[in-house]
Amino acid sequence: MGRPRRPLVAVLAFSMAAAACSGGAGPDTTASTASTTASTTATTTTPTATPTQAAAPHSAAPNGLGDPYFPGLGNTGYDVEHYLIDLTVEPALNRIEGTTTIEAVATADYDSFTLDFAGLDIADITIDGAAVDYRREGPQESELRVEAPLVTGESFSVAVAYSGIPDPTEPGALGFPTGWLTNREGTFVASEPAGAHTWFPCNDHPSDKAAFTFRITVPAGMTGVANGTLVDTAATAAGAATFVWEMPDPMATYLATVVVAPLERIEHPPMGDVVLRDYLPPSMDVPESFTLTGDMIDFFDDLFGPYPFDEYGHVVVSGFPAALETQTMTVFGEEWFDSPFTEFVVAHELAHQWFGDAVSPSTWRDVWLNEGFATYAELLWVEHLYGAAAMQAEAATRYADLAGTPHAITGDPQPEALFGMSVYQRGGLTLHALRAAAGDEAFFEILRTWMERYGSGAASTAEFIALAEEVSGADLDDLFQAWLYSSQLPPLPSP
Ligand code: TRP
Ligand code: ZN
């Protein structure tokens, strides 16, 4: 492959899509409309710890986990351990019907609790098999209050039976809706950041991760794809089939995906123990960039520590000018194949499996821990292929783009700029600056320790800064203050 003209990232196409929708957004305003659930009240520019869950015994558990940007997301009083999402999908009508069963453990005493769930018709809700009362509440009716007590330490199983046509969220920071979406060949899901609860009831916040099982029943000629490992395919009546997928490792709700379309499974040689499979439209040749996934895993394994899951690959969809790092099964818009940057999008989404998926953000304010890291991984791939000088040249190009535009605060971008330049490019260059300050050995040790320590949960910017100082032994306050929390762009770091 020749050196791409100018490897960039997904977000630039996102920004262009958003600009097209909003009639030309200004720099780093990747959306004209913030998500309906977004708060614009958070103004602090210092990192904060994970929101606390205040226990208020014998009262109704409050909605929300105190996310500074999405105060309605998540719920108080329990931890989810497992979701079973059992859905029959009729792509022609865009209708779904089924049951989501949530296994959870109570972490406080309350008389009632909430799930995040919007739209769709509820048939009934049971707790440990017994029917319970429920009601919808909240500004968008996106809280589902279940009238059953929580007792600290006790496990319970809540099953919600529902049906209907899912209603995706309003276009948010990227300029297009999130949740359960349709395209010319069927249906697909892309939920980041706040679309998951428009298609299944959940504790919709990355600070509460859980294992998942999907049972997806689809019409004849269609394939049901989800996260993890395909463990069973069973023919049902009238030529329909049920596809059962297991995602045994903790996963954030926004990373859950279901794609229903005519799709063909392509297997690649595994990389070590990692099974590599893609799902492509039947007529499609295997894209060349997808054949590089194994080499990329091999390369990133050395830098970041072992690939965190059992499998990896892409599912290609139409009608989606983006890509999303849905755990083990990246949803990849076919539009990327016309782009000179395909390979860098492939590297970016793969890197998210470590940064974003294994280590998830504590709050949405910490999103640069996802996007800055995945963006820096593109530069690492450039360095691997073409050497340090090419990498520095690429960093300089991106720096020049940033320098010419006013942009948001990387460590506190606000909901409107959640997926803007300052999160991706300045976030990536923050790591470039850290590497220059700490040296290669300490820098990659920081990344590997980050994975080891937080690799099946969530972590915050403050925890990253503390870890970087711990591993490097350096005082890095000024560096992070300058890169993450000031509006002025610091000088371009060079190794
Ligand atoms: N995380 C995606 C990426 O950079 C970007 C993204 C955010 C996205 N929200 C989305 C993509 C919703 C598709 C749909 O790779
Ligand atoms: Zn990304």
Side-chain angles (χ1 to χ4, degrees):
M1 186 199 79
R3 174 154 195 260
R5 191 164 49 83
R6 189 160 158 252
L8 285 176
V9 274
V11 71
L12 292 191
F14 299 152
S15 303
M16 289 184 305
C21 293
S22 62
D28 210 7
T29 49
T30 48
S32 53
T33 357
S35 155
T36 49
T37 51
S39 154
T40 51
T41 54
T43 52
T44 171
T45 56
T46 49
T48 57
T50 313
T52 49
Q53 300 187 5
H58 306 300
S59 61
N63 301 332
L65 279 172
D67 190 287
Y69 295 170
F70 299 93
L73 286 187
N75 305 278
T76 313
Y78 61 91
D79 271 333
V80 178
E81 301 201 316
H82 185 264
Y83 293 94
L84 166 60
I85 299 177
D86 186 346
L87 293 177
T88 298
V89 181
E90 289 176 80
L93 304 173
N94 189 27
R95 193 174 175 281
I96 63 177
E97 173 161 13
T99 300
T100 291
T101 306
I102 300 170
E103 309 292 337
V105 180
T107 56
D109 296 338
Y110 284 116
D111 293 336
S112 68
F113 64 95
T114 51
L115 300 168
D116 299 309
F117 192 46
L120 298 164
D121 301 318
I122 297 170
D124 61 56
I125 302 184
T126 61
I127 300 250
D128 299 325
V132 290
D133 287 339
Y134 57 88
R135 77 189 131 85
R136 300 214 196 237
E137 57 183 41
Q140 275 88 38
E141 298 259 292
S142 62
E143 302 289 342
L144 177 57
R145 182 162 296 280
V146 179
E147 298 293 350
L150 296 181
V151 179
T152 305
E154 290 200 351
S155 302
F156 60 99
S157 167
V158 50
V160 181
Y162 58 98
S163 63
I165 297 174
D167 189 12
T169 64
E170 293 296 310
L174 284 172
F176 50 82
T178 58
W180 184 279
L181 305 166
T182 58
N183 59 5
R184 73 165 181 260
E185 67 271 18
T187 63
F188 66 104
V189 168
S191 294
E192 188 183 19
H197 67 276
T198 66
W199 66 281
F200 70 102
C202 54
N203 195 24
D204 200 1
H205 197 267
S207 60
D208 187 7
K209 295 162 67 168
F212 281 68
T213 303
F214 301 83
R215 300 175 49 86
I216 307 300
T217 302
V218 304
M222 298 254 175
T223 300
V225 173
N227 311 82
T229 300
L230 179 65
V231 294
D232 193 29
T233 308
T236 64
T242 301
F243 294 83
V244 183
W245 291 81
E246 283 290 350
M247 180 64 247
D249 301 304
M251 178 164 80
T253 49
Y254 75 93
L255 297 170
T257 196
V258 170
V259 181
V260 177
L263 289 165
E264 222 163 64
R265 182 183 172 102
I266 308 292
E267 303 251 359
H268 303 270
M271 175 48 65
D273 295 339
V274 183
V275 173
L276 299 178
R277 75 285 183 266
D278 291 314
Y279 282 83
L280 307 179
S283 55
M284 188 175 179
D285 293 334
V286 178
E288 205 193 311
S289 53
F290 286 5
T291 65
L292 299 171
T293 306
D295 290 345
M296 288 180 182
I297 289 181
D298 196 29
F299 172 59
F300 289 154
D301 268 353
D302 289 341
L303 301 184
F304 309 152
Y307 176 77
F309 309 115
D310 297 336
E311 307 206 359
Y312 189 66
H314 311 81
V315 54
V316 173
V317 299
S318 76
F320 184 58
L324 182 61
E325 65 269 22
T326 38
Q327 194 156 307
T328 74
M329 185 67 80
T330 285
V331 178
F332 202 90
E334 66 176 12
E335 271 136 275
W336 280 117
F337 298 121
D338 297 331
S339 148
F341 313 128
T342 323
E343 185 177 329
F344 295 90
V345 181
V346 171
H348 179 107
E349 304 309 331
L350 173 62
H352 270 309
Q353 305 300 310
W354 285 263
F355 305 112
D357 294 11
V359 182
S360 300
S362 278
T363 74
W364 286 108
R365 180 158 56 196
D366 299 302
V367 69
W368 83 279
L369 296 172
N370 291 15
E371 300 304 345
F373 286 53
T375 299
Y376 193 60
E378 298 167 42
L379 294 184
L380 293 171
W381 185 243
V382 171
E383 184 178 8
H384 176 66
L385 293 181
Y386 309 111
M391 193 272 215
Q392 183 64 21
E394 180 58 28
T397 304
R398 296 176 183 212
Y399 182 86
D401 280 350
L402 271 173
T405 54
H407 53 279
I409 299 292
T410 302
D412 191 7
Q414 302 298 311
E416 311 76 62
L418 209 47
F419 301 104
M421 291 276 281
S422 56
V423 169
Y424 282 69
Q425 302 303 344
R426 186 162 166 165
L429 292 174
T430 301
L431 294 179
H432 199 43
L434 174 61
R435 181 178 172 188
D440 276 21
E441 203 177 314
F443 175 72
F444 290 109
E445 194 55 33
I446 292 166
L447 298 189
R448 284 189 294 269
T449 310
W450 182 241
M451 285 303 306
E452 278 165 27
R453 197 170 293 177
Y454 300 107
S456 52
S460 68
T461 302
E463 284 165 324
F464 184 72
I465 293 171
L467 177 68
E469 293 192 327
E470 174 194 320
V471 172
S472 68
D475 178 349
L476 298 167
D477 264 11
D478 289 352
L479 183 148
F480 284 112
Q481 185 60 39
W483 279 93
L484 296 179
Y485 299 111
S486 105
S487 53
Q488 260 193 325
L489 189 60
L492 174 68
S494 57

